[in-house]
Amino acid sequence: MPMIDSHSAIPPTLILGGTTEASHLAQAMADAGLPAILSYAGRVASPRTHPVPVRSGGFGGAEGLAAFLKTNGIGQVVDATHPFAARISGNAALACAAAGVPLCALERAPWIAEASDDWTHVPDIEGAVAALDGPAKRVFLAIGRQHLAGFAHLGQHRFLARMVDAPAADFPLLGAEVIVKRGPFKVEDDMDLMRVHGTELLVAKNAGGAGAEAKILAARALAVPVIMIDRPELPDRPLRRTVTEVMDWLHARLGV
């Protein structure tokens, strides 16, 4: 397929990012010469560099996002946010409908338990907190840093938390072991981590995909039980599972 001049009349695509897939999509669009803007929520202190223009921060709700789409001549939006970013996904659906801009979601397939897995499904963070209201265990909280405060009162447990950025002074889990490291991670490394920590229970969001799966595969190999937080309900919108499928959608839509 011929390369497209990024300065052509093709309207830019807004990629709502924050995931590995969003980064890969930005690279694929740059390689194809398709203009794009990659948007981050701005929660990570040192985001990766990208081959397309990047903006950081919120839009001001659905109304603000709709205004951004119109002001910047956005031709289409790809929601490649985390499957648990329900608010921005909802705002994207409302904004695109208001602005008359086509929307497509790039969403990882969820993980599915195998016969040997010991998973306890809970609907949300509050459900995970409630599930830990029991005897002391060594718990690997693989849920990011946003929701850790909800577990602070469970002082009987010895927590392990892994985050992209170093914890701030108000880090809520006193006495927790903190690992500051950016993924993706290897299964063997996560197995070693769980062995060293003596992990007896893993708490994870069902993010899906391969980039964050190492901890799930490690828990499976070590027979570690999992409290699996199910995905929130997301808006009904066209859905693609891979970058290739999104690129096909873009090429068909743009006629290039």
Side-chain angles (χ1 to χ4, degrees):
M1 181 172 293
M3 295 290 289
I4 307 295
D5 181 359
S6 61
H7 299 289
S8 71
I10 293 177
T13 298
L14 176 64
I15 305 171
L16 300 174
T19 61
T20 302
E21 290 82 1
S23 299
H24 290 169
L25 177 61
Q27 184 64 61
M29 294 193 68
D31 291 344
L34 296 176
I37 301 171
L38 178 60
S39 176
Y40 277 111
R43 296 193 180 100
V44 177
S46 301
R48 294 182 174 92
T49 57
H50 295 283
V52 301
V54 174
R55 70 170 301 280
S56 179
F59 291 95
E63 185 176 340
L65 177 52
F68 180 90
L69 300 179
K70 294 176 181 178
T71 300
N72 291 274
I74 301 298
Q76 48 280 320
V77 175
V78 178
D79 179 2
T81 58
H82 195 278
F84 281 77
R87 178 177 296 179
I88 183 60
S89 292
N91 286 343
L94 292 173
C96 286
V101 174
L103 170 67
C104 177
L106 171 53
E107 183 183 303
R108 316 162 183 167
W111 297 315
I112 304 297
E114 296 188 354
S116 62
D117 289 328
D118 180 6
W119 289 11
T120 298
H121 288 271
V122 295
D124 47 31
I125 291 291
E126 290 74 16
V129 171
L132 286 176
D133 187 14
K137 292 183 181 295
R138 288 180 169 266
V139 181
F140 183 4
L141 289 178
I143 58 172
R145 63 184 173 90
Q146 284 184 275
H147 304 289
L148 294 178
F151 298 84
H153 68 285
L154 298 169
Q156 74 271 34
H157 300 302
R158 180 64 183 270
F159 288 118
L160 167 67
R162 183 165 63 193
M163 302 180 297
V164 175
D165 297 316
D170 59 351
F171 183 71
L173 299 181
L174 298 178
E177 181 181 351
V178 178
I179 304 295
V180 179
K181 193 173 182 180
R182 187 192 296 269
F185 303 101
K186 297 180 179 179
V187 177
E188 296 78 10
D189 292 340
D190 274 4
M191 290 176 66
D192 288 342
L193 179 63
M194 291 184 189
R195 288 192 186 103
V196 169
H197 182 255
T199 297
E200 299 172 281
L201 187 63
L202 169 68
V203 181
K205 298 176 179 180
N206 197 335
E213 192 179 20
K215 58 183 177 288
I216 305 301
L217 299 178
R220 180 174 295 154
L222 298 174
V224 171
V226 178
I227 294 176
M228 184 63 73
I229 303 171
D230 293 331
R231 294 181 176 186
E233 185 175 348
L234 296 175
D236 185 23
R237 62 264 167 95
L239 181 65
R240 302 294 186 273
R241 292 298 192 192
T242 68
V243 169
T244 299
E245 291 177 2
V246 172
M247 291 299 293
D248 289 343
W249 177 78
L250 287 169
H251 284 303
R253 167 167 168 70
L254 297 172
V256 294

